[in-house]
Every structure is written in C-alpha cells, then in structure tokens.
Amino acid sequence: MDSHVPLTRCGALAAWAAFLPEVGVYACRRSYVGQPPHGGVSRLSAALRHRLLTEDEVISDTLRTYDFHAAGKWLQEVCWRRYWKGWLEMRPDVWTSWRRRVHELSVTLPADVMRRAWAVASGASGVACMDAIARELNSTGYLHNHARMWWASFWIHAEGLPWELGADWFFRQLLDADPASNTLSWRWVAGLQTVGKPYLVRLCNLEKYAGAALLADRRGSGRIADGAVQAAPVEEFAVTARGPLPGFATAFTPTGRRIGLWLHADDLLPERGPLENLKPVAIAGFSSTRSYQHFYKLGVQRINALHTVLGDGAARAGQHFQVPAHVGHDDDPVTGLMLWAGANSLDEVVAFAPTVGPVRDMVPRLQRHLVAANVRLTLIRRASDTHAFGLSSAGFFPFWKKMSRHLETPAASSGA
Ligand SMILES: Cc1cc2nc3c(=O)[nH]c(=O)nc-3n(C[C@H](O)[C@H](O)[C@H](O)COP(=O)(O)OP(=O)(O)OC[C@H]3O[C@@H](n4cnc5c(N)ncnc54)[C@H](O)[C@@H]3O)c2cc1C
C-alpha cells in the first residue's frame, strides 16, 4: 500500500500546493478517518518532521491565502509539533527515561506479555478494526491522527500493555516518527501528560469518524464498546520538572575557518534560513542502517525513508552551496563524521542544533571527538524555533494564545 507521504522537498512542495486550497475546510474534515490516502489531512508530517518543508513556509503561505481565523484550526495543528518539541527541550529526561524503560521492559516483561504485544502490533489482536489500523501502519508507515489515538488507547487501556512499548512500535514504523510528538502523544493518551485525563477509545467515536470500511468487520468490537474501556494504571518514571531551554545562537558569524556543514534528519533545509549564506568547503550527512537497527530496531520502510530524506537534503545542499555533498552510511555516524572532518581538513563543523532525540543524543560524544581533533562544533537554531520553544513552558493553550498573537502580525505571513 502506498503511504502517499512525500519524502523529498519537491514532493512536499507539490503536496503542499495541492493541499493549500483544502485548508479552508480542514477544520470540518480533519477528524474523519477515511480510506488511505485520507483526503481531509495533508500527510505532510514526515516532510515537516525532517524539515523538507518548514512550519514557517506553511504558515506564511497559509496566511497569505487565508484570513487567520479562517485557517485557525490548521495553524493550530501545525504549531502542535513545535509546542511538543519546545516542551521536551525543557524536559529531556522524559525522552531519556522513555528510552530506558523500553530497554528495561523488553528484557523484564514476561514472555506471554511480550507475545501479546507482538500480536497486537502485528495486527492480530482479534479486534478487527484495531488490527486493520495496525496493518495500515505496518504497510504504509502512516496513520491518520484519530487512528493513532484509537490504537494507542486500545494498546494501553484495553490491552493493558505498557505505553512505552506501544510508543516504541510507532517510533520504529512511522515515517514521520518524531521524538517529541510521538512520546508526548503516547503520554497524553496514557494520562501522564494531562495528569489523570487519559484518552479512552469508544466504539461510538469510531462509528462517527471512521469510514465504513474500517468497521465493516465487527469481530471483537465489544472490547471497545462504549464504557468497556477503563483507564489502565500508569506510573510516571520521568523527571518532568521544567529546566531551562538550551541556548543556541540563531545566526552564524563567519570566522574565515574551513567549515564543513553537517546535515542531519532534524532539519534538512540549510538553503533556507540562518545557514543559507554559509561558505562550507564540504557537506556531509550520515544515515546508518546499522545504528538505526541496533539502537532503535527501526523497520525497513522507516530506514529507507531516513536514507531518502537525507539523500534529498544532501543533493539540494550540494547544489545550493556548490560543494560536494557526501552521504555516509558508516556503522557509527560519529566515526564517519570524524573521518570526513579529517579528510577535508575542517576547522569547524556547523549544523542546525538537533532537538531532543537520537541526533541530540550523539552530540556529547561527537563534541568530545571534535575537541580532541581541535575542530569546533557550532550549532545554530532557527530564530522562529527559539521563539516557539520559549513559549512552550506550560500547557498548549497558553502557548497557543501567545503564538496566535504572533501569527496575527504581518511578520508571520512574510515568514519572518
Ligand atoms: C499516539 C500518537 C502518536 C503520534 N506520533 C507522531 C509522530 O511520531 N510524528 C508526528 O509527526 N506526529 C505524531 N503524532 C501527531 C499526529 O498524529 C501527526 O502529526 C499527524 O497525524 C500527521 O498527519 P498529517 O500530516 O496528515 O496531519 P495534518 O492533520 O495534515 O496536520 C498538519 C501538520 O500539523 C502537525 N500536527 C497535526 N496534528 C498534530 C498533533 N496531534 N501533534 C503534533 N503535530 C501535529 C503535523 O506536523 C502535521 O503534518 C502522533 C499522534 C498520536 C495520537
């Protein structure tokens, strides 16, 4: 089954141009889960997650086409990703603790629970509509938001399985897998994010919003009948107290050194924004099948998607900066990066600051190696991210109140 999820900038721009005329009816169509490819939603999440297309571009195009209020729901949804990212930037232990729990559970859970988790993940729970959702995820790497909510709730509250392992399954399979949106949405469904308010799946909600095909087979649906699903107990393992937002420069000051541009999956649009005038002598990105499999057990289609988006970013960057762009598939990306830095006699490696997640986790080790080789690492964050992340300290609605005020200014429609 084709996911209809664009994984190149060119594909993302075309998909966005096709969806922009639909934005005016997004609010009334977005909750309906039809048949793939799900017409009421954009399917731009993988492109936005990897920044083949930026939120700033989407927001400014939207505001040039629509009045703020006519596109309010769409703009709000687009801003959720940055809100979740900003929230996690200030609470990195939520990510670290989730990864630790995934490991602990996978070695300590009884074999029968692991077997059940595998059956549910592979679409053999016995509840036909939930199994259809699992099969769609596993074959396309994409799910509609409402289907994600239903299935996550089924996993946690109907099956009584640990949310951490469900989130891990999504992280391995989704083409848009995003450390912040995924972890925090699963926590929200579990009742950890908005404490004491879990999301409970109900058959009547599927009857209202799911297409007929999803409910054609009613086997097992009594398990999600209205009132049948009760909140499962969940335990908080993470430190959720807010820390400071890590500081990064939002502009690059030229130093006259030999600079290499490091591309990674958190932002693949260096030709737009604070790095666009950089004068690198070399460009490289690293996409390691072995480390994706070893550390995260990613599925094949997710790994292929990561190779595709990085290849696309590198090709565009090579063209824009007019220098060779290398895509490394080294088993260890840090080793690959060090070899590249040495081969190009770099004095400085410049990159977008990775957000909390796998790339950020690599930075301390990379930094140590670079310092030992006398190479400076400079990480730059887009000013619009710094602004949005700074507003994400508490709940979404205070964030949105401040963000919407900003979006109503002329600067937002100019993309500034
Ligand atoms: C349990 C669960 C896990 C999720 N895991 C991920 C994930 O790993 N990666 C991911 O990108 N999204 C995740 N989401 C959020 C959301 O489901 C997807 O972003 C959305 O379904 C993507 O489809 P779309 O691009 O067609 O969305 P559209 O409805 O077209 O929305 C446009 C854009 O707005 C943003 N957006 C919309 N809804 C949300 C949301 N609830 N949270 C954050 N951003 C949103 C996305 O960037 C999306 O591309 C998860 C949601 C749940 C409930």
Side-chain angles (χ1 to χ4, degrees), residues 26 41-45 48 74 77-78 80-81 84 142 145 148-149 170 174 176-178 181-182 185-186:
Y26 175 78
V41 291
S42 69
R43 300 180 305 282
L44 285 171
S45 46
L48 289 165
W74 165 253
E77 292 304 313
V78 169
W80 264 102
R81 178 184 304 281
W84 282 139
Y142 175 84
N145 181 57
R148 297 182 200 214
M149 290 161 57
F170 266 27
L174 283 170
D176 62 25
D178 179 315
S181 292
N182 188 52
S185 298
W186 274 85

PDB file of all heavy atoms in Angstrom, residues 26 41-45 48 74 77-78 80-81 84 142 145 148-149 170 174 176-178 181-182 185-186, ligand 1:
ATOM      1  N   TYR A  26     -10.360  22.342   6.307  1.00  0.00           N
ATOM      2  CA  TYR A  26      -9.613  21.401   7.158  1.00  0.00           C
ATOM      3  C   TYR A  26     -10.347  21.164   8.488  1.00  0.00           C
ATOM      4  O   TYR A  26     -10.511  20.023   8.915  1.00  0.00           O
ATOM      5  CB  TYR A  26      -8.213  21.954   7.399  1.00  0.00           C
ATOM      6  CG  TYR A  26      -7.365  21.141   8.351  1.00  0.00           C
ATOM      7  CD1 TYR A  26      -6.750  19.965   7.942  1.00  0.00           C
ATOM      8  CD2 TYR A  26      -7.162  21.553   9.677  1.00  0.00           C
ATOM      9  CE1 TYR A  26      -5.964  19.213   8.810  1.00  0.00           C
ATOM     10  CE2 TYR A  26      -6.377  20.814  10.552  1.00  0.00           C
ATOM     11  CZ  TYR A  26      -5.779  19.651  10.115  1.00  0.00           C
ATOM     12  OH  TYR A  26      -5.002  18.907  10.985  1.00  0.00           O
ATOM     13  N   VAL A  41      -6.720  15.353   5.416  1.00  0.00           N
ATOM     14  CA  VAL A  41      -5.472  15.784   6.071  1.00  0.00           C
ATOM     15  C   VAL A  41      -4.351  15.844   5.043  1.00  0.00           C
ATOM     16  O   VAL A  41      -4.469  15.315   3.937  1.00  0.00           O
ATOM     17  CB  VAL A  41      -5.106  14.846   7.246  1.00  0.00           C
ATOM     18  CG1 VAL A  41      -6.091  14.996   8.399  1.00  0.00           C
ATOM     19  CG2 VAL A  41      -5.034  13.390   6.792  1.00  0.00           C
ATOM     20  N   SER A  42      -3.241  16.480   5.434  1.00  0.00           N
ATOM     21  CA  SER A  42      -2.220  16.829   4.433  1.00  0.00           C
ATOM     22  C   SER A  42      -1.178  15.736   4.158  1.00  0.00           C
ATOM     23  O   SER A  42      -0.543  15.751   3.115  1.00  0.00           O
ATOM     24  CB  SER A  42      -1.466  18.074   4.904  1.00  0.00           C
ATOM     25  OG  SER A  42      -0.679  17.747   6.044  1.00  0.00           O
ATOM     26  N   ARG A  43      -0.928  14.863   5.130  1.00  0.00           N
ATOM     27  CA  ARG A  43       0.138  13.840   5.060  1.00  0.00           C
ATOM     28  C   ARG A  43       1.522  14.492   4.894  1.00  0.00           C
ATOM     29  O   ARG A  43       2.428  13.914   4.322  1.00  0.00           O
ATOM     30  CB  ARG A  43      -0.130  12.816   3.945  1.00  0.00           C
ATOM     31  CG  ARG A  43      -1.437  12.069   4.130  1.00  0.00           C
ATOM     32  CD  ARG A  43      -1.694  11.061   3.034  1.00  0.00           C
ATOM     33  NE  ARG A  43      -1.647  11.645   1.714  1.00  0.00           N
ATOM     34  CZ  ARG A  43      -2.612  12.363   1.153  1.00  0.00           C
ATOM     35  NH1 ARG A  43      -3.730  12.609   1.836  1.00  0.00           N
ATOM     36  NH2 ARG A  43      -2.487  12.855  -0.055  1.00  0.00           N
ATOM     37  N   LEU A  44       1.647  15.706   5.416  1.00  0.00           N
ATOM     38  CA  LEU A  44       2.939  16.413   5.317  1.00  0.00           C
ATOM     39  C   LEU A  44       3.840  16.150   6.520  1.00  0.00           C
ATOM     40  O   LEU A  44       4.920  16.739   6.637  1.00  0.00           O
ATOM     41  CB  LEU A  44       2.690  17.923   5.201  1.00  0.00           C
ATOM     42  CG  LEU A  44       2.182  18.402   3.843  1.00  0.00           C
ATOM     43  CD1 LEU A  44       1.755  19.865   3.907  1.00  0.00           C
ATOM     44  CD2 LEU A  44       3.263  18.214   2.772  1.00  0.00           C
ATOM     45  N   SER A  45       3.398  15.276   7.446  1.00  0.00           N
ATOM     46  CA  SER A  45       4.119  15.166   8.721  1.00  0.00           C
ATOM     47  C   SER A  45       5.575  14.720   8.576  1.00  0.00           C
ATOM     48  O   SER A  45       6.439  15.255   9.267  1.00  0.00           O
ATOM     49  CB  SER A  45       3.380  14.224   9.673  1.00  0.00           C
ATOM     50  OG  SER A  45       3.001  13.049   8.997  1.00  0.00           O
ATOM     51  N   LEU A  48       7.496  17.714   7.341  1.00  0.00           N
ATOM     52  CA  LEU A  48       7.676  18.747   8.371  1.00  0.00           C
ATOM     53  C   LEU A  48       8.625  18.257   9.467  1.00  0.00           C
ATOM     54  O   LEU A  48       9.456  19.014   9.962  1.00  0.00           O
ATOM     55  CB  LEU A  48       6.317  19.128   8.973  1.00  0.00           C
ATOM     56  CG  LEU A  48       5.413  19.928   8.030  1.00  0.00           C
ATOM     57  CD1 LEU A  48       3.970  19.958   8.548  1.00  0.00           C
ATOM     58  CD2 LEU A  48       5.933  21.357   7.858  1.00  0.00           C
ATOM     59  N   TRP A  74      -6.161  24.792  11.350  1.00  0.00           N
ATOM     60  CA  TRP A  74      -4.985  24.284  10.619  1.00  0.00           C
ATOM     61  C   TRP A  74      -3.694  24.833  11.238  1.00  0.00           C
ATOM     62  O   TRP A  74      -2.747  24.085  11.519  1.00  0.00           O
ATOM     63  CB  TRP A  74      -5.115  24.673   9.146  1.00  0.00           C
ATOM     64  CG  TRP A  74      -3.858  24.544   8.352  1.00  0.00           C
ATOM     65  CD1 TRP A  74      -3.079  25.579   7.901  1.00  0.00           C
ATOM     66  CD2 TRP A  74      -3.219  23.328   7.921  1.00  0.00           C
ATOM     67  NE1 TRP A  74      -1.999  25.066   7.209  1.00  0.00           N
ATOM     68  CE2 TRP A  74      -2.060  23.694   7.206  1.00  0.00           C
ATOM     69  CE3 TRP A  74      -3.510  21.976   8.075  1.00  0.00           C
ATOM     70  CZ2 TRP A  74      -1.189  22.766   6.643  1.00  0.00           C
ATOM     71  CZ3 TRP A  74      -2.641  21.038   7.519  1.00  0.00           C
ATOM     72  CH2 TRP A  74      -1.501  21.438   6.812  1.00  0.00           C
ATOM     73  N   GLU A  77      -2.897  23.179  14.521  1.00  0.00           N
ATOM     74  CA  GLU A  77      -2.336  21.824  14.398  1.00  0.00           C
ATOM     75  C   GLU A  77      -0.877  21.887  13.959  1.00  0.00           C
ATOM     76  O   GLU A  77      -0.026  21.166  14.479  1.00  0.00           O
ATOM     77  CB  GLU A  77      -3.150  20.984  13.407  1.00  0.00           C
ATOM     78  CG  GLU A  77      -4.556  20.653  13.885  1.00  0.00           C
ATOM     79  CD  GLU A  77      -4.595  19.936  15.228  1.00  0.00           C
ATOM     80  OE1 GLU A  77      -3.841  18.978  15.420  1.00  0.00           O
ATOM     81  OE2 GLU A  77      -5.380  20.353  16.103  1.00  0.00           O
ATOM     82  N   VAL A  78      -0.597  22.765  12.987  1.00  0.00           N
ATOM     83  CA  VAL A  78       0.789  22.883  12.503  1.00  0.00           C
ATOM     84  C   VAL A  78       1.710  23.284  13.663  1.00  0.00           C
ATOM     85  O   VAL A  78       2.857  22.839  13.737  1.00  0.00           O
ATOM     86  CB  VAL A  78       0.872  23.877  11.323  1.00  0.00           C
ATOM     87  CG1 VAL A  78       2.309  24.227  10.978  1.00  0.00           C
ATOM     88  CG2 VAL A  78       0.162  23.292  10.090  1.00  0.00           C
ATOM     89  N   TRP A  80       1.358  22.476  16.830  1.00  0.00           N
ATOM     90  CA  TRP A  80       1.498  21.454  17.878  1.00  0.00           C
ATOM     91  C   TRP A  80       2.888  20.845  17.873  1.00  0.00           C
ATOM     92  O   TRP A  80       3.478  20.568  18.911  1.00  0.00           O
ATOM     93  CB  TRP A  80       0.474  20.331  17.692  1.00  0.00           C
ATOM     94  CG  TRP A  80      -0.763  20.501  18.524  1.00  0.00           C
ATOM     95  CD1 TRP A  80      -1.974  20.959  18.094  1.00  0.00           C
ATOM     96  CD2 TRP A  80      -0.918  20.208  19.931  1.00  0.00           C
ATOM     97  NE1 TRP A  80      -2.869  20.964  19.135  1.00  0.00           N
ATOM     98  CE2 TRP A  80      -2.250  20.508  20.284  1.00  0.00           C
ATOM     99  CE3 TRP A  80      -0.067  19.721  20.915  1.00  0.00           C
ATOM    100  CZ2 TRP A  80      -2.746  20.333  21.578  1.00  0.00           C
ATOM    101  CZ3 TRP A  80      -0.571  19.561  22.212  1.00  0.00           C
ATOM    102  CH2 TRP A  80      -1.886  19.863  22.523  1.00  0.00           C
ATOM    103  N   ARG A  81       3.427  20.577  16.674  1.00  0.00           N
ATOM    104  CA  ARG A  81       4.734  19.910  16.629  1.00  0.00           C
ATOM    105  C   ARG A  81       5.796  20.728  17.373  1.00  0.00           C
ATOM    106  O   ARG A  81       6.566  20.212  18.169  1.00  0.00           O
ATOM    107  CB  ARG A  81       5.168  19.708  15.173  1.00  0.00           C
ATOM    108  CG  ARG A  81       6.548  19.067  15.027  1.00  0.00           C
ATOM    109  CD  ARG A  81       6.962  18.975  13.582  1.00  0.00           C
ATOM    110  NE  ARG A  81       5.980  18.263  12.806  1.00  0.00           N
ATOM    111  CZ  ARG A  81       5.854  16.940  12.782  1.00  0.00           C
ATOM    112  NH1 ARG A  81       6.700  16.195  13.454  1.00  0.00           N
ATOM    113  NH2 ARG A  81       4.919  16.366  12.069  1.00  0.00           N
ATOM    114  N   TRP A  84       5.243  20.659  21.158  1.00  0.00           N
ATOM    115  CA  TRP A  84       5.759  19.430  21.787  1.00  0.00           C
ATOM    116  C   TRP A  84       7.286  19.459  21.836  1.00  0.00           C
ATOM    117  O   TRP A  84       7.901  19.064  22.823  1.00  0.00           O
ATOM    118  CB  TRP A  84       5.331  18.195  21.001  1.00  0.00           C
ATOM    119  CG  TRP A  84       3.933  17.672  21.141  1.00  0.00           C
ATOM    120  CD1 TRP A  84       3.153  17.203  20.129  1.00  0.00           C
ATOM    121  CD2 TRP A  84       3.157  17.469  22.346  1.00  0.00           C
ATOM    122  NE1 TRP A  84       1.948  16.740  20.616  1.00  0.00           N
ATOM    123  CE2 TRP A  84       1.925  16.882  21.974  1.00  0.00           C
ATOM    124  CE3 TRP A  84       3.399  17.723  23.698  1.00  0.00           C
ATOM    125  CZ2 TRP A  84       0.932  16.558  22.894  1.00  0.00           C
ATOM    126  CZ3 TRP A  84       2.410  17.403  24.620  1.00  0.00           C
ATOM    127  CH2 TRP A  84       1.195  16.831  24.223  1.00  0.00           C
ATOM    128  N   TYR A 142       2.224   5.246   7.805  1.00  0.00           N
ATOM    129  CA  TYR A 142       1.451   6.456   8.094  1.00  0.00           C
ATOM    130  C   TYR A 142       0.124   6.059   8.734  1.00  0.00           C
ATOM    131  O   TYR A 142      -0.475   5.053   8.357  1.00  0.00           O
ATOM    132  CB  TYR A 142       1.162   7.239   6.801  1.00  0.00           C
ATOM    133  CG  TYR A 142       0.253   8.442   7.048  1.00  0.00           C
ATOM    134  CD1 TYR A 142       0.771   9.656   7.479  1.00  0.00           C
ATOM    135  CD2 TYR A 142      -1.131   8.332   6.885  1.00  0.00           C
ATOM    136  CE1 TYR A 142      -0.069  10.736   7.755  1.00  0.00           C
ATOM    137  CE2 TYR A 142      -1.970   9.411   7.148  1.00  0.00           C
ATOM    138  CZ  TYR A 142      -1.427  10.606   7.588  1.00  0.00           C
ATOM    139  OH  TYR A 142      -2.263  11.672   7.861  1.00  0.00           O
ATOM    140  N   ASN A 145      -4.299  10.931  12.432  1.00  0.00           N
ATOM    141  CA  ASN A 145      -4.180  11.253  13.860  1.00  0.00           C
ATOM    142  C   ASN A 145      -5.225  10.530  14.713  1.00  0.00           C
ATOM    143  O   ASN A 145      -4.914   9.989  15.782  1.00  0.00           O
ATOM    144  CB  ASN A 145      -4.311  12.766  14.050  1.00  0.00           C
ATOM    145  CG  ASN A 145      -4.177  13.167  15.507  1.00  0.00           C
ATOM    146  OD1 ASN A 145      -3.172  12.884  16.158  1.00  0.00           O
ATOM    147  ND2 ASN A 145      -5.204  13.808  16.052  1.00  0.00           N
ATOM    148  N   ARG A 148      -4.356   7.011  15.227  1.00  0.00           N
ATOM    149  CA  ARG A 148      -3.252   6.888  16.206  1.00  0.00           C
ATOM    150  C   ARG A 148      -3.814   6.929  17.627  1.00  0.00           C
ATOM    151  O   ARG A 148      -3.397   6.171  18.499  1.00  0.00           O
ATOM    152  CB  ARG A 148      -2.231   8.029  16.029  1.00  0.00           C
ATOM    153  CG  ARG A 148      -1.544   8.021  14.686  1.00  0.00           C
ATOM    154  CD  ARG A 148      -0.498   9.144  14.557  1.00  0.00           C
ATOM    155  NE  ARG A 148      -0.217   9.385  13.140  1.00  0.00           N
ATOM    156  CZ  ARG A 148       0.939   9.734  12.620  1.00  0.00           C
ATOM    157  NH1 ARG A 148       1.985   9.904  13.395  1.00  0.00           N
ATOM    158  NH2 ARG A 148       1.086   9.929  11.323  1.00  0.00           N
ATOM    159  N   MET A 149      -4.759   7.863  17.839  1.00  0.00           N
ATOM    160  CA  MET A 149      -5.335   7.984  19.187  1.00  0.00           C
ATOM    161  C   MET A 149      -6.093   6.716  19.574  1.00  0.00           C
ATOM    162  O   MET A 149      -5.927   6.186  20.682  1.00  0.00           O
ATOM    163  CB  MET A 149      -6.283   9.194  19.235  1.00  0.00           C
ATOM    164  CG  MET A 149      -5.565  10.529  19.159  1.00  0.00           C
ATOM    165  SD  MET A 149      -6.638  11.897  18.666  1.00  0.00           S
ATOM    166  CE  MET A 149      -7.917  11.844  19.892  1.00  0.00           C
ATOM    167  N   PHE A 170       5.409   2.514  17.328  1.00  0.00           N
ATOM    168  CA  PHE A 170       5.169   3.660  16.429  1.00  0.00           C
ATOM    169  C   PHE A 170       6.508   4.241  15.952  1.00  0.00           C
ATOM    170  O   PHE A 170       6.680   4.559  14.785  1.00  0.00           O
ATOM    171  CB  PHE A 170       4.387   4.755  17.166  1.00  0.00           C
ATOM    172  CG  PHE A 170       2.894   4.702  16.987  1.00  0.00           C
ATOM    173  CD1 PHE A 170       2.232   3.516  16.715  1.00  0.00           C
ATOM    174  CD2 PHE A 170       2.131   5.866  17.099  1.00  0.00           C
ATOM    175  CE1 PHE A 170       0.844   3.483  16.558  1.00  0.00           C
ATOM    176  CE2 PHE A 170       0.751   5.839  16.934  1.00  0.00           C
ATOM    177  CZ  PHE A 170       0.107   4.651  16.673  1.00  0.00           C
ATOM    178  N   LEU A 174       6.608   4.456  11.979  1.00  0.00           N
ATOM    179  CA  LEU A 174       6.088   5.674  11.334  1.00  0.00           C
ATOM    180  C   LEU A 174       7.150   6.378  10.507  1.00  0.00           C
ATOM    181  O   LEU A 174       8.270   6.594  10.987  1.00  0.00           O
ATOM    182  CB  LEU A 174       5.604   6.667  12.406  1.00  0.00           C
ATOM    183  CG  LEU A 174       4.270   6.403  13.079  1.00  0.00           C
ATOM    184  CD1 LEU A 174       4.090   7.350  14.269  1.00  0.00           C
ATOM    185  CD2 LEU A 174       3.108   6.567  12.100  1.00  0.00           C
ATOM    186  N   ASP A 176       6.991   9.425   9.862  1.00  0.00           N
ATOM    187  CA  ASP A 176       7.149  10.756  10.456  1.00  0.00           C
ATOM    188  C   ASP A 176       7.630  10.676  11.901  1.00  0.00           C
ATOM    189  O   ASP A 176       7.570  11.678  12.636  1.00  0.00           O
ATOM    190  CB  ASP A 176       5.837  11.549  10.378  1.00  0.00           C
ATOM    191  CG  ASP A 176       4.681  10.898  11.155  1.00  0.00           C
ATOM    192  OD1 ASP A 176       4.933  10.138  12.100  1.00  0.00           O
ATOM    193  OD2 ASP A 176       3.512  11.180  10.814  1.00  0.00           O
ATOM    194  N   ALA A 177       8.093   9.502  12.361  1.00  0.00           N
ATOM    195  CA  ALA A 177       8.395   9.310  13.787  1.00  0.00           C
ATOM    196  C   ALA A 177       9.196  10.482  14.352  1.00  0.00           C
ATOM    197  O   ALA A 177      10.276  10.787  13.865  1.00  0.00           O
ATOM    198  CB  ALA A 177       9.151   8.009  13.996  1.00  0.00           C
ATOM    199  N   ASP A 178       8.638  11.089  15.358  1.00  0.00           N
ATOM    200  CA  ASP A 178       9.207  12.326  15.902  1.00  0.00           C
ATOM    201  C   ASP A 178       9.326  12.140  17.411  1.00  0.00           C
ATOM    202  O   ASP A 178       8.332  11.845  18.077  1.00  0.00           O
ATOM    203  CB  ASP A 178       8.235  13.465  15.557  1.00  0.00           C
ATOM    204  CG  ASP A 178       8.674  14.811  16.077  1.00  0.00           C
ATOM    205  OD1 ASP A 178       9.105  14.908  17.245  1.00  0.00           O
ATOM    206  OD2 ASP A 178       8.539  15.786  15.338  1.00  0.00           O
ATOM    207  N   SER A 181       6.643  14.566  19.283  1.00  0.00           N
ATOM    208  CA  SER A 181       5.211  14.333  19.014  1.00  0.00           C
ATOM    209  C   SER A 181       4.810  12.916  19.413  1.00  0.00           C
ATOM    210  O   SER A 181       3.719  12.699  19.944  1.00  0.00           O
ATOM    211  CB  SER A 181       4.891  14.535  17.529  1.00  0.00           C
ATOM    212  OG  SER A 181       5.026  15.879  17.185  1.00  0.00           O
ATOM    213  N   ASN A 182       5.673  11.955  19.158  1.00  0.00           N
ATOM    214  CA  ASN A 182       5.306  10.566  19.451  1.00  0.00           C
ATOM    215  C   ASN A 182       5.292  10.297  20.959  1.00  0.00           C
ATOM    216  O   ASN A 182       4.289   9.877  21.512  1.00  0.00           O
ATOM    217  CB  ASN A 182       6.282   9.613  18.742  1.00  0.00           C
ATOM    218  CG  ASN A 182       5.831   8.173  18.853  1.00  0.00           C
ATOM    219  OD1 ASN A 182       4.691   7.839  18.527  1.00  0.00           O
ATOM    220  ND2 ASN A 182       6.702   7.312  19.341  1.00  0.00           N
ATOM    221  N   SER A 185       2.570  12.393  22.740  1.00  0.00           N
ATOM    222  CA  SER A 185       1.194  11.994  22.420  1.00  0.00           C
ATOM    223  C   SER A 185       0.836  10.687  23.113  1.00  0.00           C
ATOM    224  O   SER A 185      -0.281  10.516  23.610  1.00  0.00           O
ATOM    225  CB  SER A 185       1.008  11.829  20.910  1.00  0.00           C
ATOM    226  OG  SER A 185       1.236  13.041  20.243  1.00  0.00           O
ATOM    227  N   TRP A 186       1.778   9.747  23.143  1.00  0.00           N
ATOM    228  CA  TRP A 186       1.506   8.491  23.865  1.00  0.00           C
ATOM    229  C   TRP A 186       1.308   8.765  25.355  1.00  0.00           C
ATOM    230  O   TRP A 186       0.445   8.185  26.003  1.00  0.00           O
ATOM    231  CB  TRP A 186       2.627   7.467  23.641  1.00  0.00           C
ATOM    232  CG  TRP A 186       2.413   6.656  22.398  1.00  0.00           C
ATOM    233  CD1 TRP A 186       2.775   6.985  21.128  1.00  0.00           C
ATOM    234  CD2 TRP A 186       1.758   5.372  22.295  1.00  0.00           C
ATOM    235  NE1 TRP A 186       2.403   6.003  20.248  1.00  0.00           N
ATOM    236  CE2 TRP A 186       1.786   4.995  20.937  1.00  0.00           C
ATOM    237  CE3 TRP A 186       1.178   4.502  23.211  1.00  0.00           C
ATOM    238  CZ2 TRP A 186       1.236   3.785  20.472  1.00  0.00           C
ATOM    239  CZ3 TRP A 186       0.625   3.292  22.766  1.00  0.00           C
ATOM    240  CH2 TRP A 186       0.662   2.950  21.403  1.00  0.00           C
TER     241      TRP A 186
HETATM  242  C1  LIG B   1      -0.232   8.317  19.718  1.00  0.00           C
HETATM  243  C2  LIG B   1       0.209   9.370  18.738  1.00  0.00           C
HETATM  244  C3  LIG B   1       1.493   9.329  18.216  1.00  0.00           C
HETATM  245  C4  LIG B   1       1.918  10.307  17.316  1.00  0.00           C
HETATM  246  N1  LIG B   1       3.194  10.222  16.800  1.00  0.00           N
HETATM  247  C5  LIG B   1       3.623  11.170  15.925  1.00  0.00           C
HETATM  248  C6  LIG B   1       4.927  11.104  15.369  1.00  0.00           C
HETATM  249  O1  LIG B   1       5.740  10.230  15.679  1.00  0.00           O
HETATM  250  N2  LIG B   1       5.274  12.046  14.462  1.00  0.00           N
HETATM  251  C7  LIG B   1       4.428  13.037  14.091  1.00  0.00           C
HETATM  252  O2  LIG B   1       4.791  13.842  13.244  1.00  0.00           O
HETATM  253  N3  LIG B   1       3.208  13.148  14.634  1.00  0.00           N
HETATM  254  C8  LIG B   1       2.766  12.240  15.544  1.00  0.00           C
HETATM  255  N4  LIG B   1       1.508  12.345  16.056  1.00  0.00           N
HETATM  256  C9  LIG B   1       0.705  13.545  15.771  1.00  0.00           C
HETATM  257  C10 LIG B   1      -0.232  13.460  14.571  1.00  0.00           C
HETATM  258  O3  LIG B   1      -0.974  12.274  14.638  1.00  0.00           O
HETATM  259  C11 LIG B   1       0.507  13.520  13.220  1.00  0.00           C
HETATM  260  O4  LIG B   1       1.394  14.622  13.181  1.00  0.00           O
HETATM  261  C12 LIG B   1      -0.488  13.691  12.077  1.00  0.00           C
HETATM  262  O5  LIG B   1      -1.440  12.660  12.107  1.00  0.00           O
HETATM  263  C13 LIG B   1       0.270  13.678  10.778  1.00  0.00           C
HETATM  264  O6  LIG B   1      -0.586  13.566   9.686  1.00  0.00           O
HETATM  265  P1  LIG B   1      -0.813  14.771   8.699  1.00  0.00           P
HETATM  266  O7  LIG B   1       0.458  15.395   8.280  1.00  0.00           O
HETATM  267  O8  LIG B   1      -1.692  14.239   7.604  1.00  0.00           O
HETATM  268  O9  LIG B   1      -1.618  15.777   9.621  1.00  0.00           O
HETATM  269  P2  LIG B   1      -2.452  17.070   9.327  1.00  0.00           P
HETATM  270  O10 LIG B   1      -3.762  16.915  10.012  1.00  0.00           O
HETATM  271  O11 LIG B   1      -2.485  17.372   7.883  1.00  0.00           O
HETATM  272  O12 LIG B   1      -1.680  18.180  10.125  1.00  0.00           O
HETATM  273  C14 LIG B   1      -0.709  19.033   9.543  1.00  0.00           C
HETATM  274  C15 LIG B   1       0.531  19.041  10.372  1.00  0.00           C
HETATM  275  O13 LIG B   1       0.266  19.541  11.666  1.00  0.00           O
HETATM  276  C16 LIG B   1       1.067  18.837  12.630  1.00  0.00           C
HETATM  277  N5  LIG B   1       0.173  18.096  13.528  1.00  0.00           N
HETATM  278  C17 LIG B   1      -1.126  17.781  13.319  1.00  0.00           C
HETATM  279  N6  LIG B   1      -1.629  17.149  14.400  1.00  0.00           N
HETATM  280  C18 LIG B   1      -0.631  17.058  15.292  1.00  0.00           C
HETATM  281  C19 LIG B   1      -0.525  16.526  16.599  1.00  0.00           C
HETATM  282  N7  LIG B   1      -1.564  15.975  17.218  1.00  0.00           N
HETATM  283  N8  LIG B   1       0.672  16.600  17.224  1.00  0.00           N
HETATM  284  C20 LIG B   1       1.740  17.172  16.618  1.00  0.00           C
HETATM  285  N9  LIG B   1       1.692  17.717  15.391  1.00  0.00           N
HETATM  286  C21 LIG B   1       0.530  17.658  14.730  1.00  0.00           C
HETATM  287  C22 LIG B   1       1.934  17.864  11.849  1.00  0.00           C
HETATM  288  O14 LIG B   1       3.161  18.475  11.554  1.00  0.00           O
HETATM  289  C23 LIG B   1       1.125  17.655  10.592  1.00  0.00           C
HETATM  290  O15 LIG B   1       1.883  17.247   9.490  1.00  0.00           O
HETATM  291  C24 LIG B   1       1.047  11.369  16.956  1.00  0.00           C
HETATM  292  C25 LIG B   1      -0.249  11.399  17.499  1.00  0.00           C
HETATM  293  C26 LIG B   1      -0.659  10.404  18.368  1.00  0.00           C
HETATM  294  C27 LIG B   1      -2.062  10.487  18.921  1.00  0.00           C
END
